[in-house]
Amino acid sequence: MKRKIPRPIPLVSSPATQNPRRHGHFYSTASNANLRTWFDKYFEKTNVHAWNSLIADLARSGDSLESLRAFSSMRKLNLIPNRSTFPCAIKACSALSDVRSGQQAHQQALVFGFEFDLFVSSALIDMYSKCGQLGDAKNLFDEIPQRNIVVWTSLINGYVQNEYPLRGLSLFKELLSRGDDDDESSVDSFAMVSVLTACSRLSAEGMTEGLHGFVVKCGFDRDVGVGNTLLDAYAKGGSVGMSRKVFDGMTDRDTVSWNSMITVYAQSGLAREAFEAFSAMVKGGLTRYNAVTLSTLLLASAHCGSLRAGKCVHDQVIVMGLLDNVVVGTSVIDMYCKCGQVQMARKSFDVMEVKNVRSWTAMIAGYGMHGLAREALDVFYQMLGVGVRPNYITFISVLAACSHAGLVDEGRHWFNVMNHQFQVEPRLEHYSCMVDLLGRAGHLHEAYDLIKRMKVRSDFILWGSLLAACRIHKNLELAEISAQRLFELDPSNSGYYVLLSHIYADAGRWKDVERMRELMKDSGLVKTPGFSLIELNGRVHVFLVGDKEHPRHEDIYRYLEELGVKLQRAGYVPDMTSVPHDIDEEEKEVNLRGHSEKLAVAFGIMNSVPGAMIQVMKNLRVCGDCHTVIKLISKIVNREIIVRDSKRFHHFKDGFCSCGDYW
DNA sequence: ATAGGGTTAG
């Protein structure tokens, strides 16, 4: 039977057609490529107005290069550009990040006497900021005797977009303190959006709240753009609830509003709410969805690991003809990787016509999380081969891939050359990968030395990797050092107490095990309960450790018991290293049997056709015993079983795991 | 005929 594909809502038009040219030139129906030809054929070459229209239309429709060409043709004819000519030409320069042309335009604007023209000045400030030349933007701003709000906003935006949101905010403060007597520079909704964007970059909730009050007082809360940015700023500051309140209170909502709300949910891991918001958007019928919407829904699908949902969105991507959109294509790759289907991801990757750093990186990261380090490195070499410059996330992905597969030499190599050969300074995340890689491979002291030598401040992820490695390689001394740091850095996480007490137990230090238990109790910490999810026929089933709530739990335990007999025949011996130490042996086995991933796998097998693949997702790491058991089950029942845990994927098949038992 | 804004992918 053919899968039912939801009926598409027409694709939202591209910016060019979304804002139809307000001025009906007779050539306005011609495509950009023909615009210049039409122009040359029908216009007097001396008509400055016509040249201005041509330059403006080309710049507006995104054909910046052609716009600049028109500008230079006009100059070659020795026509005198007027004050309308420059802003558009300069805008084309900023769209191309072409500082040299921008500087030339700047020079000519001075020659033709537009030094104090605010339209020209604001375009120039914007151009210099977009080209990363904040100093030039600031100098120009300082020399303007009579500034208006557009000029102020241009510079505020420059700061925000060059990652100086704090400077953007203080410039806004300066603007406010200038007094209200000047109408030309009083705050408008555009300025408000820029300032709120600064807030969202800072993730400063207090600031957002304060500005929210200002927004309401000035009546900007009726502006869609302001509402959208406010919503986003609250979310980035951690208040999903306030985001929703802003969204609910908006008088108008456009596609960006809905996309923003869906994104907030998707990024907070609230996939269900994301899909519900989307369904409300479609039901409302007033707003069309676009590439951004689908991209965000793919993120939500990836987050909850729902291949079913992801495929559905992918179908919609195809229907809407968005496959050649780089962002959407990259989201598709990410979705398939995180839903366990690397091969599908690779297929989507191969058909992408335009790939950028992020697309390449998504594929590398995807292979890495599936333990396919060789494939990850192959893609990385290909990427270098075609001349795409890796960024810092690419290197995180490469190092993580090496770490998942234990490729110590490759990892060391790329860590050592990333700075000198690729000008990517190692950050905390790179050090974390290296500590993980070295630690798990048994080079504990090299890992510890690396931490001591590094110039950036350490965090709990880094020490957590070292502590986990200390357990594998039974190093009590380093374990205590790491744990001490972890108790300070991440005091509310109970996992480190649990891990350290396991290490003590492995060493037979029972008094210390008891001490850990007391410590945990005193600080009011409880073990994070493990749970697993499995999706069957569009329904998600949740299993907790030792689940006795699930309606079918008795059947599941019975089935696991049946399997247990076959397991023992296959040579299985329970691995007790992950169970509490303060219970007797029999209880330990019961405890092990109730691990949520086992329950989910069993339930999956019981409720699917023979031979069907089983996919399970777990909130914590898979324990050693479950790993062994699921491996054997995959052989006994002849099923492919994919388990996604908090760090990576395990593909079990024919009694083997893709990780080669290295994790 | 001219200037400044908000949502997306690793």
Side-chain angles (χ1 to χ4, degrees), chain A residues 219-378:
Chain A
F220 292 130
D221 51 342
R222 300 180 56 84
D223 184 283
V224 202
V226 172
N228 294 343
T229 328
L230 189 59
L231 185 166
D232 185 56
Y234 269 120
K236 298 268 158 64
S239 311
V240 177
M242 275 309 292
S243 286
R244 179 72 203 208
K245 263 197 180 152
V246 172
F247 180 79
D248 287 338
M250 286 170 77
T251 42
D252 293 312
R253 295 185 197 105
D254 60 8
T255 301
V256 178
S257 322
W258 285 97
N259 288 348
S260 303
M261 197 62 239
I262 297 170
T263 301
V264 169
Y265 285 136
Q267 289 180 342
S268 316
L270 301 166
R272 193 199 160 100
E273 283 79 358
F275 283 108
E276 277 170 0
F278 174 65
S279 127
M281 177 187 190
V282 175
K283 259 191 204 148
L286 297 171
T287 331
R288 295 189 238 183
Y289 55 90
N290 61 11
V292 178
T293 323
L294 295 191
S295 191
T296 288
L297 291 175
L298 286 166
L299 180 73
S301 312
H303 227 294
C304 63
S306 172
L307 183 61
R308 193 188 161 97
K311 268 188 176 160
C312 201
V313 183
H314 187 194
D315 285 338
Q316 193 57 26
V317 167
I318 296 166
V319 167
M320 286 170 73
L322 290 171
L323 266 187
D324 51 0
N325 179 312
V326 204
V327 176
V328 174
T330 305
S331 304
V332 170
I333 294 170
D334 182 52
M335 181 276 292
Y336 276 123
C337 289
K338 290 187 177 145
C339 291
Q341 306 292 314
V342 239
Q343 325 83 297
M344 281 301 291
R346 181 55 191 256
K347 271 190 190 161
S348 311
F349 177 77
D350 286 337
V351 298
M352 275 177 82
E353 297 230 346
V354 182
K355 302 183 180 86
N356 63 17
V357 218
R358 289 169 175 228
S359 331
W360 287 95
T361 303
M363 200 58 244
I364 295 169
Y367 275 132
M369 69 179 100
H370 285 274
L372 299 166
R374 281 267 87 92
E375 285 82 349
L377 288 173
D378 280 346

Side-chain angles (χ1 to χ4, degrees), chain A residues 399-613:
Chain A
L399 296 177
C402 293
S403 145
H404 287 317
L407 302 181
V408 179
D409 293 333
E410 277 90 342
R412 270 204 204 102
H413 169 75
W414 290 113
F415 182 73
N416 288 332
V417 303
M418 56 182 272
N419 198 356
H420 306 115
Q421 244 175 19
F422 298 95
Q423 293 79 47
V424 177
E425 189 112 13
R427 300 193 193 180
L428 194 52
E429 295 103 306
H430 302 104
Y431 283 104
S432 287
C433 289
M434 285 311 285
V435 168
D436 197 56
L437 170 65
L438 295 169
R440 285 190 312 153
H443 309 285
L444 285 175
H445 285 283
E446 191 181 340
Y448 186 46
D449 286 341
L450 189 67
I451 297 180
K452 285 194 290 194
R453 268 206 331 251
M454 61 184 214
K455 294 185 190 82
V456 279
R457 237 174 68 184
S458 58
D459 72 344
F460 64 88
I461 296 172
L462 190 104
W463 289 106
S465 295
L466 190 61
L467 181 62
C470 285
R471 177 167 190 207
I472 301 170
H473 299 287
K474 307 194 187 308
N475 187 320
L476 202 58
E477 185 199 348
L478 273 182
E480 285 179 326
I481 295 174
S482 317
Q484 200 45 52
R485 303 299 302 264
L486 286 163
F487 295 152
E488 295 158 11
L489 287 166
D490 191 15
S492 62
N493 191 327
S494 61
Y496 313 126
Y497 290 92
V498 177
L499 202 48
L500 186 59
S501 73
H502 279 311
I503 297 173
Y504 281 132
D506 292 343
R509 302 248 304 243
W510 303 108
K511 269 188 194 156
D512 289 310
V513 174
E514 179 57 24
R515 189 167 56 86
M516 281 301 112
R517 216 173 61 91
E518 292 294 322
L519 258 172
M520 255 182 90
K521 219 169 82 184
D522 292 345
S523 44
L525 293 176
V526 278
K527 247 171 121 167
T528 313
F531 65 84
S532 297
L533 310 175
I534 184 166
E535 187 182 325
L536 290 164
N537 304 318
R539 257 202 72 189
V540 178
H541 300 261
V542 187
F543 294 92
L544 286 169
V545 224
D547 205 316
K548 292 214 165 57
E549 302 292 316
H550 195 278
R552 300 275 310 275
H553 74 268
E554 284 179 4
D555 294 340
I556 296 169
Y557 287 114
R558 204 174 306 124
Y559 181 64
L560 276 173
E561 208 138 316
E562 283 167 35
L563 276 177
V565 180
K566 293 182 186 166
L567 285 173
Q568 273 172 9
R569 245 181 260 146
Y572 161 70
V573 183
D575 172 2
M576 304 291 192
T577 45
S578 298
V579 290
H581 311 283
D582 49 356
I583 54 178
D584 66 45
E585 290 305 306
E586 202 171 315
E587 269 181 278
K588 281 186 184 176
E589 284 198 34
V590 174
N591 177 292
L592 269 185
R593 240 174 290 162
H595 278 191
S596 63
E597 53 269 54
K598 289 192 187 99
L599 304 180
V601 166
F603 187 71
I605 296 169
M606 292 162 64
N607 291 285
S608 55
V609 292
M613 186 217 296

Side-chain angles (χ1 to χ4, degrees), chain A residues 185-199:
Chain A
S185 61
S186 64
V187 177
D188 65 2
S189 59
F190 276 60
M192 216 52 243
V193 167
S194 298
V195 179
L196 285 167
T197 307
C199 269

Side-chain angles (χ1 to χ4, degrees), chain A residues 625-639:
Chain A
D625 187 67
C626 288
H627 198 267
T628 312
V629 168
I630 297 172
K631 218 164 56 176
L632 292 170
I633 290 179
S634 76
K635 191 173 170 69
I636 292 169
V637 303
N638 193 24
R639 296 274 197 129

Side-chain angles (χ1 to χ4, degrees), chain A residues 302 305 334-342 365-372 404 615-617 621-622 627 641-652 657-659 662-663:
Chain A
D334 182 52
M335 181 276 292
Y336 276 123
C337 289
K338 290 187 177 145
C339 291
Q341 306 292 314
V342 239
Y367 275 132
M369 69 179 100
H370 285 274
L372 299 166
H404 287 317
Q615 282 214 60
V616 168
M617 203 166 131
R621 305 296 317 265
V622 180
H627 198 267
I641 303 170
I642 302 178
V643 179
R644 166 178 164 183
D645 72 12
S646 58
K647 198 152 181 182
R648 57 169 294 169
F649 280 87
H650 298 268
H651 291 250
F652 299 95
C657 178
S658 59
C659 74
Y662 182 86
W663 86 100

